[in-house]
Structures are given as structure tokens and as C-alpha cells.
Amino acid sequence: MLDDPLSLTFAALADPTRRALLALLSQGEATVNELAAPFDMRLPSISKHLKVLERAGLVEQSRHSQWRPRRLQAAPLAQAAGWLEHYRPFWEDSFDRMANYLDELNVTEKEKSHGRKA
Amino acid sequence: MVAKPDLQSSGQSVVIERVVKVPRALAFEVWTSPRHLARWWGPRDEQGRDFSMASCEMDFRPGGSWRICIRSPGGDDYWQGGQYREITPPDRLVFTFAWERAEEDFPLTLVEVDFLQEGPDATRVRFRQSGLPPSERDGHAIGWAECLDRLAEFLVADQAPEARS
């Protein structure tokens, strides 16, 4: 189950360095050297993070050479976001029902405190 | 899916905000016991009929588990469960949430609910659900969604080129 695409995406996104790398790549293609520049980190560490992102399909290396720039792949992210969106109707309905229930509770409370007056 | 105007989403999490006309203590309380949850927790079917709550166990304390079965009007059961991570009445409630299904393992999500004072007798309920990686299943979690704003913008732009032109 750890190899399913969604789990790989979530796992890849769990690390702050990798999120920062994705944010950099969202501005356009970049080489490993360019990506490493803002970080206080050695190139091999950056490469390791990029490998995790590549395995999750979030980053693509154009051709297999080191100086080729990396490119962001949005499809797995869209899938992760789309999957989460499935929850929205559940909560939208629940919140509607909660609002009704709270109204009911509120009326009961008010009747309790003012009931004697009538 | 068409977004309603009171909703916003970073693309990496589901965000819902609602103002309810009760004080914060009461808005928080309806999340704290099966008796309350049975009255509102769960969706409606296409005809607008409420799902019912077939089972609800909750150990309402940090680290405690919860497990709920909701039943569709047609009689289908859906199990879900998780663990309470943070309970700070009447400010904030954090718990994990996952569907249970035999045929596939659903990824774990994190639900964060903040209760904000909105005038004397109203509360703004700020709800957020985001994904959690598998490694967080038993550990301490931090939602990863916060850091992805720029990325989300990119994603939206990438998904809907026709909407922009």
C-alpha cells in the first residue's frame, strides 16, 4: 500500500525541503545546481530529495543527464487534491445539518431559561 | 465541481467556514459526544435524506480513538475512524480521519477545526482537512498543506487554462 501513487505523493510532500523544491520548480525549470543554491545543503542531499520527488512522479528530469533541468509535474498533485475534494460533500452536508441542530439546541436553551415567564 | 462562494480551497486541502449562531462553548460541544454527533454527522443522499448513525464509539481525549458507522437511507454502511490529536475547548479540535474499506486502504487525513468568536452569540467554525503521509499514521502530525500556496496557484493555473483565457 506504500507504493500506491497517492501515498507516494503524500510521503513526498511530507518534507519541508521537498515542498520548497517544488515551490521553486513551480516558477519554472531549474537544474540541480540552481535548485541547491537557496539551501544550506550539499548537492547529494538535494539530489536525494529530488529522487523522492521523481519517484512520486512530481518532478521530471528532461533527458537523463545531470545538467538537464528538472520540471514540475502537476498531475499527481491534482490527483491528491481531487481525492481530498471527495470529502467536501460529506462535510458540506454535515455542516448544514449541524447548523439546524444548533438552532434547535438554542431554542431549547432559551425556552429553558425563559419558559416560566409565559 | 462548482465551488460555493463561502468556500475556499488551497487545492491541497478542503476548507470550509461557517458562522453558527451559538456561543463557542456550544459550537464546540456538539463535536464531543455520540449523542450530539448522531444528530448532524454525515451526508445526505441525492434526495436530501439524512444518513443515520449506526454506531459511534469515541474516546474523547488526546490520543483516544473514534470510530463511526454511518448508514445511508438505502441501508449501506460506511465505517470511518481516527484518533484525537488535540482537544482545546472551546478553541480548537484536531483529529485524524480515514475511511475503512476492505478492498482499498484509504489514506489518512487530518481534520483541524477552529472555533472563533464572531460577535457576542455567534461562532465562526473554520474547518480544514488535509492529507497525511503514511509515515504519520501513528506519529505526531503537521498538515503539509500550509506551505503549498504558491504551488496551489500553479496547479489551478495548470488545470484550468481555458478558464483564464
Side-chain angles (χ1 to χ4, degrees):
Chain A
M1 100 124 238
L2 293 186
D3 309 27
D4 72 273
L6 207 48
S7 296
L8 282 175
T9 305
F10 282 151
L13 288 170
D15 181 88
T17 304
R18 291 198 286 274
R19 289 196 296 263
L21 287 170
L22 287 175
L24 283 173
L25 284 168
S26 72
Q27 297 172 316
E29 294 187 348
T31 63
V32 179
N33 278 321
E34 288 166 340
L35 288 170
F39 297 97
D40 187 20
M41 230 180 244
R42 291 161 47 84
L43 275 184
S45 316
I46 295 295
S47 294
K48 231 161 102 186
H49 283 303
L50 281 170
K51 282 224 175 64
V52 177
L53 292 170
E54 279 167 21
R55 219 176 304 134
L58 291 164
V59 167
E60 187 191 61
Q61 184 178 7
S62 25
R63 307 279 167 76
H64 291 285
S65 49
Q66 248 205 311
W67 54 89
R68 290 286 184 172
R70 303 303 207 274
R71 196 185 298 138
L72 180 68
Q73 293 293 305
L77 287 171
Q79 200 202 357
W83 168 78
L84 270 171
E85 279 299 315
H86 289 165
Y87 277 102
R88 189 181 286 286
F90 177 92
W91 293 111
E92 289 287 340
D93 287 352
S94 292
F95 272 83
D96 286 347
R97 295 174 60 186
M98 184 206 294
N100 293 342
Y101 177 50
L102 286 171
D103 282 345
E104 253 178 67
L105 284 179
N106 224 8
V107 169
T108 317
E109 298 254 310
K110 279 188 182 134
E111 275 170 3
K112 244 192 261 167
S113 50
H114 301 295
R116 303 274 162 163
K117 283 182 190 168
Chain B
M1 193 177 293
V2 180
K4 293 182 187 169
D6 64 329
L7 307 175
Q8 42 170 320
S9 172
S10 72
Q12 303 300 318
S13 57
V14 173
V15 177
I16 298 173
E17 275 198 30
R18 285 290 167 90
V19 175
V20 290
K21 295 188 190 78
V22 296
R24 284 200 303 162
L26 186 54
F28 187 93
E29 198 194 325
V30 295
W31 294 79
T32 63
S33 78
R35 178 173 65 90
H36 287 308
L37 286 189
R39 299 292 303 276
W40 66 268
W41 181 282
R44 290 172 165 144
D45 71 357
E46 300 76 29
Q47 281 109 57
R49 296 176 297 179
D50 291 350
F51 278 53
S52 61
M53 189 166 282
S55 168
C56 179
E57 290 164 35
M58 47 197 287
D59 182 11
F60 194 70
R61 61 192 169 93
S65 297
W66 65 272
R67 190 164 185 245
I68 285 174
C69 175
I70 53 169
R71 183 167 291 161
S72 74
D76 294 323
D77 285 353
Y78 303 90
W79 288 89
Q80 52 188 214
Q83 207 179 48
Y84 294 104
R85 291 262 169 103
E86 191 184 331
I87 298 175
T88 318
D91 297 314
R92 185 169 157 82
L93 177 64
V94 181
F95 56 91
T96 59
F97 183 121
W99 291 104
E100 292 174 18
R101 281 207 198 159
E103 66 271 26
E104 50 183 322
D105 211 346
F106 274 80
L108 191 64
T109 66
L110 186 73
V111 171
E112 299 162 277
V113 195
D114 287 294
F115 302 85
L116 310 159
Q117 181 105 35
E118 184 92 359
D121 277 322
T123 305
R124 179 176 293 273
V125 183
R126 186 172 288 159
F127 171 95
R128 178 187 205 100
Q129 185 173 24
S130 47
L132 277 179
S135 57
E136 299 263 358
R137 276 186 178 263
D138 318 304
H140 25 272
I142 299 161
W144 44 260
E146 283 77 3
C147 307
L148 289 171
D149 285 349
R150 184 180 292 156
L151 199 54
E153 279 166 31
F154 169 84
L155 192 60
V156 169
D158 191 59
Q159 272 182 313
E162 64 280 342
R164 288 196 306 167
S165 55

